Amino acid sequence: MKRKSIVLLSLVLACSMALAFAAGAKESAGAAQEVKTIKFYGSDAQYNKNIIAKFEAENPDVKVQIVPIDFDNAEQIIKTGIASGNPVDVSFFWGSQISAFVSSGMALDLTPYLTADNNAWMNTFVPKYIDAGKIDGKYYAVSYQPVIETLFVNETIFAENNLQVPTTWDELLVVAEQLKQKGIYALGNWSGQNHQLLVFAYQVMANNGVLEQAAAGKLPFAGSNEAPGLRTALELLRDVYKKGYWYPGEGALTATKDQVQAAFFQGRIAMLFDAGSNVGQYEKDAPFKVGVAKFPLVEKGGKYGVNVVTNALFVPINAAHKEEAVRFIKFYTSEAGQSETMATGRLPSIKAKQDKIDNKLMQALMNTTTGDNVVSYRHMQNISPEVNSYLQNDLVGAVCAGESIDSALAKLEALRVKAMGK
């Protein structure tokens, strides 16, 4: 009887251990299968889908859901999500304009991640590109692509009309008049990005030695001691507009992106202002030979300003999955991620890919950023969200439409004073 009891007890213990083991195994399996889904506010283009597929293959515990971006209203949409307490986990924005979120405490400080392991992640970047997302010594945005403001050139037009691509403003005016006589607009640019044309202002500032101060909002934009450059740029752009060199003439200030790009592809525009990040699109879609050129210099022999605007990614301060979000950004800016963006004609931001650009048009674009006379700058939009909005949406258009330059600069100066607190 005693032996039977011992056997029975042994069987009970064995069953209990088996059940416990099974439960533990089931619990472990459940934990291993736990998958977190992060939301990514970005383009739903194929290169992003390719990056996500590769990331998920290496990170089976994370799924990435693309929330298609509305570039025209990105800032407001992102801020609304953060304020509601339900933001995306990773968001696209322009690195050099990240102050729009930092100033209101909406962006996660990514410095600890970038500087971990003796700056291991940060050291993979070209310094001027990663620094585009730095404010007061801290990094809030990780740049994955430089957005070089440039001129896309219809080289066929210039060749057929025996003209040279202008390198100075005076040359531009001469060429523009010759093209006008042939029914061709010299310049194309669309509503919403007229702030790009202020590259002339940055050139003047660079040649007067005040570029860094002015771009940081430390010099007045109006008055007897105003920073040089803005007035000059506005005068030049107003002149081009009034002379009808800017497509499509009177409607140039409200022309849409689709309208302007269509006119460029139709051979009605000789030179198109746009971000260099679109070089792949123009090379693929244009039915003529496309080239890239530097913005004309205000004066020959002067310094040339090159912006450090970048496409970047950041993590909202109250994102639900911060660690997974950072892991995704790390992969996005790795060699594997950058290979996908480069395949679509986009320039890389990491050192390992800088010398692997084999596309001639992309190489030409990079060459516009080099030279002894090249000076890098950050946009004045960083001064404050209000300054950013006025520069991007109002300043150039208002002056070309008839507002006095004094009045327009006074409005900008009021915004600068408010932002600087004095």
Side-chain angles (χ1 to χ4, degrees), residues 51-279:
I51 292 174
I52 289 171
K54 288 183 176 180
F55 171 76
E56 291 179 344
E58 291 189 14
N59 298 268
D61 60 323
V62 182
K63 293 293 182 184
V64 182
Q65 175 189 344
I66 295 179
V67 179
I69 192 168
D70 177 356
F71 288 98
D72 292 334
N73 301 291
E75 181 178 338
Q76 187 55 49
I77 291 172
I78 298 167
K79 285 184 173 179
T80 298
I82 295 173
S84 71
N86 186 33
V88 295
D89 299 285
V90 178
S91 182
F92 164 89
F93 207 65
W94 296 275
S96 49
Q97 296 178 33
I98 196 63
S99 61
F101 298 94
V102 176
S103 61
S104 51
M106 290 184 166
L108 180 70
D109 178 9
L110 299 173
T111 309
Y113 300 98
L114 285 160
T115 58
D117 300 322
N118 198 26
N119 300 324
W121 186 18
M122 187 165 65
N123 287 340
T124 64
F125 293 92
V126 176
K128 65 181 177 182
Y129 298 149
I130 190 63
D131 286 350
K134 182 171 69 173
I135 295 179
D136 295 331
K138 295 181 179 180
Y139 295 86
Y140 295 92
V142 177
S143 301
Y144 63 87
Q145 174 191 3
V147 183
I148 301 165
E149 293 167 346
T150 190
L151 280 174
F152 287 96
V153 179
N154 182 330
E155 293 190 348
T156 303
I157 285 179
F158 282 90
E160 290 179 348
N161 291 281
N162 196 29
L163 295 172
Q164 297 295 317
V165 177
T167 59
T168 67
W169 190 260
D170 288 340
E171 291 176 2
L172 170 64
L173 294 179
V174 173
V175 168
E177 182 60 32
Q178 292 174 317
L179 289 170
K180 182 180 180 181
Q181 299 306 315
K182 299 176 181 295
I184 300 171
Y185 292 92
L187 301 174
N189 193 63
W190 54 85
S191 175
Q193 68 166 13
N194 290 337
H195 63 287
Q196 288 199 15
L197 307 182
L198 294 175
V199 66
F200 298 109
Y202 295 110
Q203 288 184 26
V204 175
M205 292 173 183
N207 285 280
N208 282 273
V210 299
L211 178 58
E212 185 174 346
Q213 286 180 289
K218 297 178 180 179
L219 294 179
F221 293 134
S224 58
N225 60 338
E226 70 183 32
L230 275 169
R231 183 176 297 274
T232 300
L234 292 171
E235 290 171 347
L236 297 175
L237 296 172
R238 182 178 59 186
D239 188 32
V240 165
Y241 175 74
K242 287 187 173 182
K243 289 180 177 177
Y245 301 151
W246 183 348
Y247 174 86
E250 188 175 337
L253 302 177
T254 56
T256 67
K257 178 178 181 179
D258 288 344
Q259 291 171 335
V260 176
Q261 286 186 327
F264 181 63
F265 292 140
Q266 292 163 6
R268 301 176 63 195
I269 298 172
M271 296 179 291
L272 179 67
F273 288 109
D274 198 4
S277 52
N278 295 319
V279 64

Side-chain angles (χ1 to χ4, degrees), residues 286-341:
F288 46 78
K289 185 178 180 182
V290 177
V292 293
K294 290 183 178 180
F295 280 67
L297 290 165
V298 177
E299 295 179 359
K300 190 179 290 289
K303 293 181 180 179
Y304 182 77
V306 174
N307 74 313
V308 287
V309 170
T310 60
N311 285 340
L313 301 175
F314 80 101
V315 179
I317 191 67
N318 55 345
H321 307 296
K322 295 183 179 67
E323 295 301 319
E324 289 77 13
V326 172
R327 206 193 314 170
F328 176 63
I329 295 176
K330 279 187 175 182
F331 185 87
Y332 201 102
T333 56
S334 68
E335 289 195 51
Q338 293 268 274
S339 293
E340 292 294 337
T341 57

